[in-house]
């Protein structure tokens, strides 16, 4: 089945630094990738949708300059948290879909970001 | 608009007990419905799905039936195991995925 690999699984960074999270589709071409943020004991909130080769579409309230999303190829999307602060600490999950996948998406295993 | 309402947790059951996690939805059109499971420290895994009314999704002993008349997609399992302890998310697909708030299930031996 379709597999999405997300790295790193855990990262601790200092306040003010930037962190990059990678999301790769291993055995299919992901025309669309989604980035979610999960707060403790809460559901997943969609942050942005990215289509290969075009700019990401951000959900209302998500800072574009803080959460940089790049989807330069059909198998890789990256989320960079710039100038991270402790309030950015969260669980970030990506998902990917291909043109052939009408329903459902494949999720990565998530990245636990802790900003100290 | 689209939304998913899921029963509040946490839910604690003894092994072999019957499980029901309620999920209702509001949607325009005819969305597909999903249940995802998240084990501790991991991402989401698709548990089951149904794409049209009266469809029943099933996997690993879990079942859910797409009920258009009651706009529901309740998750059931006849006999839970300790290994079923996880957070369960109900979701529907529209222009994006809409998730419920998740229900934490703990199964005790």
């Amino acid at each position: 089945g379709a597999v999405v690999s997300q790295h790193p699984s855990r990262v601790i960074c200092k306040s003010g630094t930037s962190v990059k999270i990678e999301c790769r589709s291993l055995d299919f071409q992901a025309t669309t990738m989604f980035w979610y943020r999960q707060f403790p004991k809460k559901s997943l909130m969609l942050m942005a949708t990215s289509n290969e080769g075009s700019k990401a579409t951000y959900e209302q309230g998500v800072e574009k300059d803080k959460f940089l999303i790049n989807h330069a190829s059909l198998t890789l999307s990256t989320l960079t948290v710039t100038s991270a602060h402790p309030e950015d600490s969260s669980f970030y999950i990506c998902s990917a879909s291909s043109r052939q996948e009408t329903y459902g998406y494949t999720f990565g295993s998530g990245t636990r970001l802790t900003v100290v | 608009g689209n939304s998913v309402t899921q029963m509040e947790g946490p839910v604690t059951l003894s092994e072999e007990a019957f499980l029901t996690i309620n999920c209702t939805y509001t949607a325009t059109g005819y969305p597909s419905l999903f249940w995802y499971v998240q084990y501790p420290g991991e991402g989401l895994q698709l548990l089951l799905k149904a794409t049209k009314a009266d469809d029943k999704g099933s996997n690993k002993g879990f079942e859910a039936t797409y009920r258009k008349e009651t706009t529901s997609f309740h998750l059931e399992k006849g006999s839970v195991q300790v290994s079923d302890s996880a957070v369960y998310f109900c979701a529907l697909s529209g222009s994006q995925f809409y998730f419920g708030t998740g229900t934490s299930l703990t199964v005790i031996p």
Side-chain angles (χ1 to χ4, degrees), chain B residues 22-87:
Chain B
N22 289 337
C23 172
T24 56
Y25 68 90
T26 302
T28 53
Y30 303 96
S32 292
L33 301 174
F34 306 82
W35 277 100
Y36 281 85
V37 57
Q38 184 179 31
Y39 297 102
E42 299 184 13
L44 271 67
Q45 298 177 26
L46 177 63
L47 181 60
L48 54 85
K49 68 181 182 184
T51 58
K52 62 183 186 295
D54 299 325
D55 267 3
K56 177 187 283 188
S58 61
N59 185 26
K60 299 181 181 179
F62 291 90
E63 293 183 339
T65 301
Y66 190 162
R67 301 282 188 201
K68 186 168 178 288
E69 63 277 12
T70 54
T71 61
S72 64
F73 193 55
H74 304 323
L75 181 68
E76 296 182 337
K77 185 172 185 180
S79 176
V80 293
Q81 305 299 313
V82 172
S83 57
D84 293 327
S85 298
V87 180

Side-chain angles (χ1 to χ4, degrees), chain A residues 31-61:
Chain A
T31 49
T32 306
M33 285 191 172
F34 304 83
W35 287 95
Y36 295 85
R37 180 173 180 178
Q38 186 178 29
F39 294 94
K41 301 187 186 301
K42 290 187 180 290
S43 188
L44 285 77
M45 304 301 295
L46 180 65
M47 298 174 66
T49 303
S50 72
N51 292 298
E52 184 265 337
S54 61
K55 289 185 177 180
T57 302
Y58 289 80
E59 295 300 303
Q60 192 172 11

Side-chain angles (χ1 to χ4, degrees), chain A residues 4-7 9 91-94 107-111, chain B residues 41-44:
Chain A
V4 170
S5 173
Q6 187 173 340
H7 288 282
S9 57
F91 194 62
Y92 295 87
I93 304 178
C94 69
F107 285 82
S109 55
T111 297
Chain B
E42 299 184 13
L44 271 67

Side-chain angles (χ1 to χ4, degrees), chain B residues 82-104:
Chain B
V82 172
S83 57
D84 293 327
S85 298
V87 180
Y88 293 82
F89 291 92
C90 184
L92 69 82
S93 66
S95 55
Q96 58 172 277
F97 259 58
Y98 297 86
F99 287 91
T101 51
T103 302
S104 174

Side-chain angles (χ1 to χ4, degrees), chain A residues 1 3 16 33 37 46 49 58 75 88-89 104-106 112 114:
Chain A
V3 177
M33 285 191 172
R37 180 173 180 178
L46 180 65
T49 303
Y58 289 80
T75 59
D88 299 325
S89 298
Y105 304 87
T106 304
R112 171 72 60 193
T114 303

